[in-house]
Amino acid sequence: MAALSLAAFGACFRPSPAPYHPRDPALAGFPLLFYPSAVTSAPPKAFVFFVGNDIGFWGAHQDLAKRLAGAGYDVVGLDVKIFFGRLPDDPAARARLFGDSVALMIALARRELGADSIPVVVGGHSLGAEVAGWIAVHAPPPRLAGLLLISPRGRGHLRATLSDIANRSAPTEPGSYSVADNIAALPSSVRVAIVRGTDDRFRAVDDELRNSGGERINKWWVPWGGHSMSNILLAGPFVERALAWTLRR
Protein backbone atom coordinates (compact mmCIF):
# COMPACT_ATOMS: atom_id res chain seq x y z
CA MET A 1 0.00 0.00 0.00
CA ALA A 2 2.85 2.39 0.87
CA ALA A 3 4.61 1.64 -2.40
CA LEU A 4 1.40 2.18 -4.33
CA SER A 5 0.79 5.51 -2.60
CA LEU A 6 4.33 6.65 -3.36
CA ALA A 7 3.93 5.69 -7.00
CA ALA A 8 0.65 7.56 -7.23
CA PHE A 9 2.23 10.61 -5.60
CA GLY A 10 5.11 10.58 -8.06
CA ALA A 11 2.79 10.19 -11.02
CA CYS A 12 1.05 13.49 -10.29
CA PHE A 13 4.31 15.31 -11.05
CA ARG A 14 4.92 13.69 -14.43
CA PRO A 15 3.28 15.17 -17.52
CA SER A 16 0.68 12.90 -19.04
CA PRO A 17 0.06 12.95 -22.81
CA ALA A 18 -1.62 16.15 -23.98
CA PRO A 19 -4.79 15.88 -26.09
CA TYR A 20 -3.15 17.43 -29.16
CA HIS A 21 0.01 16.46 -31.03
CA PRO A 22 1.45 19.28 -33.17
CA ARG A 23 1.90 18.70 -36.88
CA ASP A 24 4.88 21.05 -37.29
CA PRO A 25 8.10 19.00 -36.91
CA ALA A 26 9.88 22.16 -35.73
CA LEU A 27 7.96 21.86 -32.45
CA ALA A 28 9.12 18.31 -31.75
CA GLY A 29 12.23 19.35 -29.85
CA PHE A 30 10.48 21.62 -27.37
CA PRO A 31 8.90 20.40 -24.08
CA LEU A 32 5.48 21.86 -24.90
CA LEU A 33 2.02 20.45 -24.20
CA PHE A 34 -0.92 21.58 -26.34
CA TYR A 35 -4.49 22.08 -25.11
CA PRO A 36 -6.51 23.76 -27.90
CA SER A 37 -9.84 25.37 -27.10
CA ALA A 38 -12.57 22.78 -26.71
CA VAL A 39 -15.24 25.34 -27.66
CA THR A 40 -15.97 24.84 -31.34
CA SER A 41 -18.83 27.33 -31.62
CA ALA A 42 -16.62 30.43 -31.26
CA PRO A 43 -13.00 31.51 -31.86
CA PRO A 44 -10.61 31.06 -28.93
CA LYS A 45 -10.70 33.91 -26.41
CA ALA A 46 -6.91 34.10 -26.19
CA PHE A 47 -3.69 32.15 -26.54
CA VAL A 48 -2.32 31.30 -23.08
CA PHE A 49 1.36 30.36 -22.80
CA PHE A 50 1.70 28.81 -19.34
CA VAL A 51 5.07 28.15 -17.72
CA GLY A 52 5.37 25.18 -15.37
CA ASN A 53 7.02 25.43 -11.96
CA ASP A 54 10.24 23.98 -10.51
CA ILE A 55 8.75 20.46 -10.64
CA GLY A 56 7.71 20.73 -14.27
CA PHE A 57 4.35 20.83 -16.01
CA TRP A 58 2.80 18.64 -13.33
CA GLY A 59 -0.70 17.25 -12.82
CA ALA A 60 -2.26 20.43 -11.40
CA HIS A 61 -1.02 22.46 -14.36
CA GLN A 62 -2.44 19.91 -16.77
CA ASP A 63 -5.79 20.02 -14.98
CA LEU A 64 -5.78 23.81 -15.18
CA ALA A 65 -4.86 23.74 -18.88
CA LYS A 66 -7.76 21.38 -19.60
CA ARG A 67 -10.11 23.60 -17.63
CA LEU A 68 -9.07 26.72 -19.53
CA ALA A 69 -9.32 24.89 -22.87
CA GLY A 70 -12.85 23.92 -21.85
CA ALA A 71 -13.58 27.60 -21.22
CA GLY A 72 -12.51 28.58 -24.73
CA TYR A 73 -8.78 29.32 -24.50
CA ASP A 74 -5.92 27.91 -26.55
CA VAL A 75 -3.37 26.80 -23.96
CA VAL A 76 0.23 25.71 -24.48
CA GLY A 77 2.25 24.62 -21.44
CA LEU A 78 6.03 24.78 -21.15
CA ASP A 79 7.77 22.21 -18.96
CA VAL A 80 10.40 24.76 -18.02
CA LYS A 81 12.36 22.41 -15.76
CA ILE A 82 13.22 20.21 -18.73
CA PHE A 83 14.18 23.18 -20.88
CA PHE A 84 16.33 24.80 -18.20
CA GLY A 85 18.40 21.62 -18.11
CA ARG A 86 19.46 22.26 -21.72
CA LEU A 87 20.77 25.80 -21.18
CA PRO A 88 24.38 26.88 -20.58
CA ASP A 89 25.37 27.80 -17.04
CA ASP A 90 26.66 31.30 -17.82
CA PRO A 91 23.84 33.72 -16.80
CA ALA A 92 24.14 36.02 -19.82
CA ALA A 93 24.28 33.17 -22.35
CA ARG A 94 21.49 31.41 -20.51
CA ALA A 95 19.20 34.45 -20.66
CA ARG A 96 19.99 35.10 -24.34
CA LEU A 97 19.31 31.51 -25.43
CA PHE A 98 16.18 31.20 -23.30
CA GLY A 99 14.72 34.46 -24.63
CA ASP A 100 15.38 33.49 -28.24
CA SER A 101 14.00 29.98 -27.69
CA VAL A 102 10.82 31.13 -25.96
CA ALA A 103 10.10 33.68 -28.68
CA LEU A 104 10.43 30.90 -31.26
CA MET A 105 8.33 28.46 -29.22
CA ILE A 106 5.47 30.93 -28.86
CA ALA A 107 5.57 31.92 -32.52
CA LEU A 108 5.55 28.30 -33.72
CA ALA A 109 2.87 27.26 -31.23
CA ARG A 110 0.58 30.12 -32.22
CA ARG A 111 1.01 29.28 -35.90
CA GLU A 112 0.29 25.62 -35.15
CA LEU A 113 -3.03 26.49 -33.50
CA GLY A 114 -3.94 29.31 -35.90
CA ALA A 115 -3.76 31.74 -32.99
CA ASP A 116 -1.72 34.56 -34.55
CA SER A 117 -4.60 37.05 -34.55
CA ILE A 118 -5.87 36.59 -30.97
CA PRO A 119 -4.58 38.17 -27.74
CA VAL A 120 -1.80 36.48 -25.79
CA VAL A 121 -1.54 35.98 -22.04
CA VAL A 122 1.71 34.67 -20.56
CA GLY A 123 1.24 32.95 -17.22
CA GLY A 124 2.83 30.57 -14.78
CA HIS A 125 2.88 29.16 -11.28
CA SER A 126 5.54 29.79 -8.59
CA LEU A 127 8.92 29.72 -10.38
CA GLY A 128 6.91 29.64 -13.61
CA ALA A 129 5.12 32.87 -12.66
CA GLU A 130 8.45 34.57 -12.12
CA VAL A 131 9.70 33.27 -15.47
CA ALA A 132 6.45 34.41 -17.13
CA GLY A 133 7.15 37.96 -15.95
CA TRP A 134 10.65 37.74 -17.40
CA ILE A 135 9.28 36.51 -20.75
CA ALA A 136 6.74 39.34 -20.90
CA VAL A 137 9.57 41.89 -20.68
CA HIS A 138 12.50 40.22 -22.44
CA ALA A 139 10.74 38.09 -25.09
CA PRO A 140 7.25 39.62 -25.41
CA PRO A 141 5.07 37.99 -28.07
CA PRO A 142 3.01 40.12 -30.46
CA ARG A 143 -0.48 41.03 -29.15
CA LEU A 144 0.56 40.51 -25.51
CA ALA A 145 -2.47 41.52 -23.44
CA GLY A 146 -1.89 40.09 -19.98
CA LEU A 147 0.33 38.44 -17.43
CA LEU A 148 -1.10 35.77 -15.11
CA LEU A 149 0.99 35.22 -11.97
CA ILE A 150 -0.02 32.33 -9.70
CA SER A 151 1.88 32.18 -6.38
CA PRO A 152 4.90 34.29 -7.41
CA ARG A 153 7.79 35.06 -5.09
CA GLY A 154 9.53 38.44 -5.07
CA ARG A 155 12.50 37.31 -7.15
CA GLY A 156 13.11 34.70 -9.82
CA HIS A 157 15.82 33.14 -11.97
CA LEU A 158 16.16 31.11 -15.14
CA ARG A 159 16.91 27.79 -13.47
CA ALA A 160 15.16 25.26 -11.20
CA THR A 161 17.06 24.49 -8.00
CA LEU A 162 16.53 22.38 -4.90
CA SER A 163 15.83 25.59 -3.01
CA ASP A 164 12.99 26.34 -5.43
CA ILE A 165 11.51 22.89 -4.91
CA ALA A 166 11.72 23.32 -1.12
CA ASN A 167 10.08 26.78 -1.39
CA ARG A 168 12.65 28.19 1.01
CA SER A 169 13.48 31.69 -0.17
CA ALA A 170 13.65 33.72 -3.35
CA PRO A 171 16.93 33.59 -5.33
CA THR A 172 19.54 36.33 -5.03
CA GLU A 173 22.46 35.01 -7.09
CA PRO A 174 23.87 36.79 -10.18
CA GLY A 175 21.39 36.47 -13.02
CA SER A 176 18.36 36.51 -10.70
CA TYR A 177 15.85 39.32 -11.09
CA SER A 178 13.10 41.24 -9.33
CA VAL A 179 9.53 40.32 -10.27
CA ALA A 180 8.38 43.84 -9.34
CA ASP A 181 10.98 45.38 -11.66
CA ASN A 182 9.71 43.27 -14.55
CA ILE A 183 6.11 44.29 -13.84
CA ALA A 184 7.14 47.95 -13.78
CA ALA A 185 8.90 47.52 -17.14
CA LEU A 186 5.81 46.17 -18.91
CA PRO A 187 3.97 48.33 -21.46
CA SER A 188 1.03 50.16 -19.90
CA SER A 189 -1.36 48.15 -22.10
CA VAL A 190 -0.47 44.84 -20.40
CA ARG A 191 -2.66 43.92 -17.42
CA VAL A 192 -1.20 41.87 -14.57
CA ALA A 193 -3.30 39.43 -12.53
CA ILE A 194 -2.03 37.80 -9.33
CA VAL A 195 -3.73 34.67 -7.96
CA ARG A 196 -2.62 33.81 -4.45
CA GLY A 197 -3.67 31.30 -1.80
CA THR A 198 -4.56 32.81 1.57
CA ASP A 199 -2.10 30.40 3.23
CA ASP A 200 0.80 31.02 0.82
CA ARG A 201 3.94 31.86 2.81
CA PHE A 202 5.08 34.30 0.07
CA ARG A 203 1.95 36.46 0.18
CA ALA A 204 3.82 39.36 1.84
CA VAL A 205 5.54 40.21 -1.47
CA ASP A 206 2.23 41.19 -3.09
CA ASP A 207 2.25 44.76 -1.78
CA GLU A 208 5.52 45.37 -3.62
CA LEU A 209 4.19 43.70 -6.76
CA ARG A 210 0.96 45.71 -6.70
CA ASN A 211 2.81 48.97 -6.16
CA SER A 212 4.95 48.24 -9.22
CA GLY A 213 1.89 47.70 -11.42
CA GLY A 214 -0.37 50.54 -10.36
CA GLU A 215 -3.91 50.48 -11.70
CA ARG A 216 -3.21 47.75 -14.26
CA ILE A 217 -2.63 45.08 -11.61
CA ASN A 218 -5.27 43.15 -9.69
CA LYS A 219 -5.30 40.26 -7.23
CA TRP A 220 -7.50 37.28 -6.46
CA TRP A 221 -7.32 35.41 -3.15
CA VAL A 222 -7.98 31.66 -3.16
CA PRO A 223 -9.48 30.72 0.24
CA TRP A 224 -7.49 28.04 2.10
CA GLY A 225 -5.07 27.85 -0.83
CA GLY A 226 -1.37 27.18 -0.21
CA HIS A 227 1.62 27.93 -2.39
CA SER A 228 1.24 24.76 -4.49
CA MET A 229 -2.27 25.71 -5.68
CA SER A 230 -2.74 22.02 -6.46
CA ASN A 231 -6.52 21.91 -5.88
CA ILE A 232 -7.78 23.13 -9.26
CA LEU A 233 -11.40 22.56 -8.26
CA LEU A 234 -10.80 25.25 -5.65
CA ALA A 235 -8.35 27.51 -7.49
CA GLY A 236 -9.68 27.12 -11.05
CA PRO A 237 -12.59 29.59 -10.84
CA PHE A 238 -10.30 32.30 -9.46
CA VAL A 239 -7.75 31.69 -12.20
CA GLU A 240 -10.49 31.94 -14.83
CA ARG A 241 -11.72 35.25 -13.40
CA ALA A 242 -8.20 36.63 -13.28
CA LEU A 243 -7.49 35.53 -16.85
CA ALA A 244 -10.72 37.07 -18.15
CA TRP A 245 -9.85 40.34 -16.39
CA THR A 246 -6.49 40.59 -18.18
CA LEU A 247 -8.36 40.61 -21.50
CA ARG A 248 -10.90 43.35 -20.70
CA ARG A 249 -10.42 46.54 -22.64
Side-chain angles (χ1 to χ4, degrees):
M1 179 64 72
L4 180 60
S5 299
L6 183 61
F9 179 76
C12 76
F13 296 103
R14 294 195 296 270
S16 58
Y20 178 92
H21 300 284
R23 300 177 297 271
D24 186 349
L27 286 163
F30 295 118
L32 299 175
L33 293 91
F34 285 74
Y35 301 83
S37 170
V39 178
T40 58
S41 58
K45 299 174 183 176
F47 174 89
V48 180
F49 188 76
F50 194 88
V51 185
N53 61 22
D54 43 76
I55 296 171
F57 203 78
W58 67 310
H61 298 161
Q62 296 171 61
D63 290 342
L64 177 61
K66 293 171 185 174
R67 181 185 182 109
L68 296 179
Y73 296 94
D74 279 341
V75 183
V76 173
L78 169 63
D79 193 329
V80 76
K81 183 180 181 183
I82 291 176
F83 197 76
F84 279 167
R86 304 174 181 174
L87 298 178
D89 195 55
D90 176 73
R94 191 177 190 86
R96 183 171 58 253
L97 182 56
F98 182 68
D100 291 346
S101 299
V102 165
L104 178 60
M105 284 185 224
I106 294 176
L108 291 175
R110 292 177 72 186
R111 185 178 69 185
E112 173 72 23
L113 297 181
D116 290 313
S117 62
I118 61 177
V120 177
V121 176
V122 179
H125 168 246
S126 190
L127 171 72
E130 298 142 24
V131 174
W134 188 95
I135 292 171
V137 172
H138 297 279
R143 299 185 61 87
L144 178 64
L147 184 59
L148 175 65
L149 307 179
I150 304 175
S151 307
R153 299 170 297 178
R155 294 185 64 82
H157 54 186
L158 302 181
R159 58 184 70 243
T161 66
L162 291 176
S163 181
D164 295 318
I165 295 172
N167 289 325
R168 291 175 183 167
S169 59
T172 58
E173 80 277 3
S176 64
Y177 50 83
S178 162
V179 176
D181 286 351
N182 280 333
I183 291 174
L186 288 169
S188 59
S189 59
V190 178
R191 286 189 165 195
V192 182
I194 298 173
V195 180
R196 175 81 70 186
T198 55
D199 296 332
D200 187 349
R201 60 176 296 193
F202 295 105
R203 61 189 181 275
V205 306
D206 289 348
D207 286 343
E208 179 187 8
L209 302 185
R210 294 193 72 167
N211 289 338
S212 68
E215 294 182 356
R216 59 197 176 89
I217 194 166
N218 206 349
K219 179 179 174 181
W220 284 259
W221 284 110
V222 178
W224 310 291
H227 183 75
S228 72
M229 210 67 76
S230 58
N231 187 339
I232 298 304
L233 286 176
L234 178 64
F238 296 94
V239 174
E240 283 192 50
R241 291 170 204 163
L243 178 56
W245 177 82
T246 66
L247 298 169
R248 290 178 191 163
R249 292 295 182 268

PDB file of all heavy atoms in Angstrom, residues 121-137:
ATOM      1  N   VAL A 121      -1.799  35.825 -23.463  1.00  0.00           N
ATOM      2  CA  VAL A 121      -1.537  35.984 -22.039  1.00  0.00           C
ATOM      3  C   VAL A 121      -0.412  35.013 -21.679  1.00  0.00           C
ATOM      4  O   VAL A 121      -0.488  33.828 -22.005  1.00  0.00           O
ATOM      5  CB  VAL A 121      -2.785  35.688 -21.177  1.00  0.00           C
ATOM      6  CG1 VAL A 121      -2.444  35.779 -19.681  1.00  0.00           C
ATOM      7  CG2 VAL A 121      -3.908  36.658 -21.519  1.00  0.00           C
ATOM      8  N   VAL A 122       0.625  35.518 -21.045  1.00  0.00           N
ATOM      9  CA  VAL A 122       1.709  34.674 -20.559  1.00  0.00           C
ATOM     10  C   VAL A 122       1.495  34.480 -19.065  1.00  0.00           C
ATOM     11  O   VAL A 122       1.291  35.446 -18.323  1.00  0.00           O
ATOM     12  CB  VAL A 122       3.090  35.305 -20.817  1.00  0.00           C
ATOM     13  CG1 VAL A 122       4.197  34.409 -20.282  1.00  0.00           C
ATOM     14  CG2 VAL A 122       3.284  35.554 -22.308  1.00  0.00           C
ATOM     15  N   GLY A 123       1.504  33.235 -18.625  1.00  0.00           N
ATOM     16  CA  GLY A 123       1.244  32.950 -17.220  1.00  0.00           C
ATOM     17  C   GLY A 123       2.153  31.869 -16.690  1.00  0.00           C
ATOM     18  O   GLY A 123       2.935  31.261 -17.428  1.00  0.00           O
ATOM     19  N   GLY A 124       2.047  31.625 -15.395  1.00  0.00           N
ATOM     20  CA  GLY A 124       2.831  30.572 -14.778  1.00  0.00           C
ATOM     21  C   GLY A 124       2.547  30.469 -13.305  1.00  0.00           C
ATOM     22  O   GLY A 124       1.858  31.318 -12.722  1.00  0.00           O
ATOM     23  N   HIS A 125       3.075  29.416 -12.709  1.00  0.00           N
ATOM     24  CA  HIS A 125       2.883  29.162 -11.281  1.00  0.00           C
ATOM     25  C   HIS A 125       4.225  29.098 -10.568  1.00  0.00           C
ATOM     26  O   HIS A 125       5.149  28.428 -11.033  1.00  0.00           O
ATOM     27  CB  HIS A 125       2.131  27.843 -11.078  1.00  0.00           C
ATOM     28  CG  HIS A 125       2.141  27.360  -9.664  1.00  0.00           C
ATOM     29  ND1 HIS A 125       2.787  26.213  -9.267  1.00  0.00           N
ATOM     30  CD2 HIS A 125       1.622  27.901  -8.532  1.00  0.00           C
ATOM     31  CE1 HIS A 125       2.650  26.047  -7.966  1.00  0.00           C
ATOM     32  NE2 HIS A 125       1.955  27.061  -7.497  1.00  0.00           N
ATOM     33  N   SER A 126       4.336  29.810  -9.433  1.00  0.00           N
ATOM     34  CA  SER A 126       5.536  29.792  -8.593  1.00  0.00           C
ATOM     35  C   SER A 126       6.750  30.230  -9.422  1.00  0.00           C
ATOM     36  O   SER A 126       6.762  31.336  -9.971  1.00  0.00           O
ATOM     37  CB  SER A 126       5.707  28.402  -7.977  1.00  0.00           C
ATOM     38  OG  SER A 126       6.713  28.382  -6.991  1.00  0.00           O
ATOM     39  N   LEU A 127       7.769  29.391  -9.535  1.00  0.00           N
ATOM     40  CA  LEU A 127       8.917  29.720 -10.384  1.00  0.00           C
ATOM     41  C   LEU A 127       8.451  30.082 -11.785  1.00  0.00           C
ATOM     42  O   LEU A 127       8.965  31.009 -12.415  1.00  0.00           O
ATOM     43  CB  LEU A 127       9.878  28.541 -10.440  1.00  0.00           C
ATOM     44  CG  LEU A 127      11.023  28.636 -11.455  1.00  0.00           C
ATOM     45  CD1 LEU A 127      12.044  29.652 -11.002  1.00  0.00           C
ATOM     46  CD2 LEU A 127      11.680  27.283 -11.667  1.00  0.00           C
ATOM     47  N   GLY A 128       7.433  29.357 -12.280  1.00  0.00           N
ATOM     48  CA  GLY A 128       6.908  29.637 -13.612  1.00  0.00           C
ATOM     49  C   GLY A 128       6.285  31.011 -13.729  1.00  0.00           C
ATOM     50  O   GLY A 128       6.346  31.644 -14.792  1.00  0.00           O
ATOM     51  N   ALA A 129       5.676  31.514 -12.644  1.00  0.00           N
ATOM     52  CA  ALA A 129       5.121  32.868 -12.656  1.00  0.00           C
ATOM     53  C   ALA A 129       6.234  33.899 -12.776  1.00  0.00           C
ATOM     54  O   ALA A 129       6.114  34.894 -13.505  1.00  0.00           O
ATOM     55  CB  ALA A 129       4.304  33.106 -11.385  1.00  0.00           C
ATOM     56  N   GLU A 130       7.320  33.650 -12.063  1.00  0.00           N
ATOM     57  CA  GLU A 130       8.453  34.574 -12.117  1.00  0.00           C
ATOM     58  C   GLU A 130       9.081  34.567 -13.508  1.00  0.00           C
ATOM     59  O   GLU A 130       9.461  35.618 -14.039  1.00  0.00           O
ATOM     60  CB  GLU A 130       9.466  34.174 -11.046  1.00  0.00           C
ATOM     61  CG  GLU A 130       8.896  34.254  -9.635  1.00  0.00           C
ATOM     62  CD  GLU A 130       9.372  33.132  -8.723  1.00  0.00           C
ATOM     63  OE1 GLU A 130      10.456  32.560  -8.977  1.00  0.00           O
ATOM     64  OE2 GLU A 130       8.647  32.821  -7.760  1.00  0.00           O
ATOM     65  N   VAL A 131       9.168  33.385 -14.115  1.00  0.00           N
ATOM     66  CA  VAL A 131       9.699  33.266 -15.473  1.00  0.00           C
ATOM     67  C   VAL A 131       8.742  33.917 -16.475  1.00  0.00           C
ATOM     68  O   VAL A 131       9.180  34.575 -17.434  1.00  0.00           O
ATOM     69  CB  VAL A 131       9.945  31.793 -15.838  1.00  0.00           C
ATOM     70  CG1 VAL A 131      10.356  31.645 -17.303  1.00  0.00           C
ATOM     71  CG2 VAL A 131      11.021  31.196 -14.928  1.00  0.00           C
ATOM     72  N   ALA A 132       7.438  33.787 -16.250  1.00  0.00           N
ATOM     73  CA  ALA A 132       6.453  34.411 -17.135  1.00  0.00           C
ATOM     74  C   ALA A 132       6.638  35.926 -17.167  1.00  0.00           C
ATOM     75  O   ALA A 132       6.558  36.550 -18.231  1.00  0.00           O
ATOM     76  CB  ALA A 132       5.037  34.057 -16.685  1.00  0.00           C
ATOM     77  N   GLY A 133       6.898  36.526 -15.990  1.00  0.00           N
ATOM     78  CA  GLY A 133       7.152  37.960 -15.948  1.00  0.00           C
ATOM     79  C   GLY A 133       8.398  38.342 -16.722  1.00  0.00           C
ATOM     80  O   GLY A 133       8.445  39.382 -17.395  1.00  0.00           O
ATOM     81  N   TRP A 134       9.418  37.493 -16.647  1.00  0.00           N
ATOM     82  CA  TRP A 134      10.654  37.738 -17.404  1.00  0.00           C
ATOM     83  C   TRP A 134      10.366  37.673 -18.902  1.00  0.00           C
ATOM     84  O   TRP A 134      10.826  38.521 -19.675  1.00  0.00           O
ATOM     85  CB  TRP A 134      11.705  36.701 -17.009  1.00  0.00           C
ATOM     86  CG  TRP A 134      13.073  36.950 -17.558  1.00  0.00           C
ATOM     87  CD1 TRP A 134      14.109  37.591 -16.939  1.00  0.00           C
ATOM     88  CD2 TRP A 134      13.567  36.546 -18.850  1.00  0.00           C
ATOM     89  NE1 TRP A 134      15.211  37.613 -17.769  1.00  0.00           N
ATOM     90  CE2 TRP A 134      14.908  36.977 -18.941  1.00  0.00           C
ATOM     91  CE3 TRP A 134      13.008  35.865 -19.924  1.00  0.00           C
ATOM     92  CZ2 TRP A 134      15.688  36.759 -20.068  1.00  0.00           C
ATOM     93  CZ3 TRP A 134      13.781  35.640 -21.053  1.00  0.00           C
ATOM     94  CH2 TRP A 134      15.098  36.083 -21.113  1.00  0.00           C
ATOM     95  N   ILE A 135       9.615  36.662 -19.333  1.00  0.00           N
ATOM     96  CA  ILE A 135       9.281  36.509 -20.748  1.00  0.00           C
ATOM     97  C   ILE A 135       8.533  37.738 -21.259  1.00  0.00           C
ATOM     98  O   ILE A 135       8.806  38.245 -22.353  1.00  0.00           O
ATOM     99  CB  ILE A 135       8.445  35.241 -20.973  1.00  0.00           C
ATOM    100  CG1 ILE A 135       9.288  33.982 -20.717  1.00  0.00           C
ATOM    101  CG2 ILE A 135       7.849  35.214 -22.381  1.00  0.00           C
ATOM    102  CD1 ILE A 135       8.476  32.699 -20.708  1.00  0.00           C
ATOM    103  N   ALA A 136       7.577  38.217 -20.470  1.00  0.00           N
ATOM    104  CA  ALA A 136       6.739  39.336 -20.902  1.00  0.00           C
ATOM    105  C   ALA A 136       7.554  40.602 -21.156  1.00  0.00           C
ATOM    106  O   ALA A 136       7.149  41.461 -21.946  1.00  0.00           O
ATOM    107  CB  ALA A 136       5.661  39.614 -19.858  1.00  0.00           C
ATOM    108  N   VAL A 137       8.709  40.717 -20.505  1.00  0.00           N
ATOM    109  CA  VAL A 137       9.565  41.891 -20.681  1.00  0.00           C
ATOM    110  C   VAL A 137      10.667  41.635 -21.703  1.00  0.00           C
ATOM    111  O   VAL A 137      10.936  42.467 -22.575  1.00  0.00           O
ATOM    112  CB  VAL A 137      10.187  42.316 -19.330  1.00  0.00           C
ATOM    113  CG1 VAL A 137      11.226  43.416 -19.524  1.00  0.00           C
ATOM    114  CG2 VAL A 137       9.102  42.774 -18.368  1.00  0.00           C
TER     115      VAL A 137
END
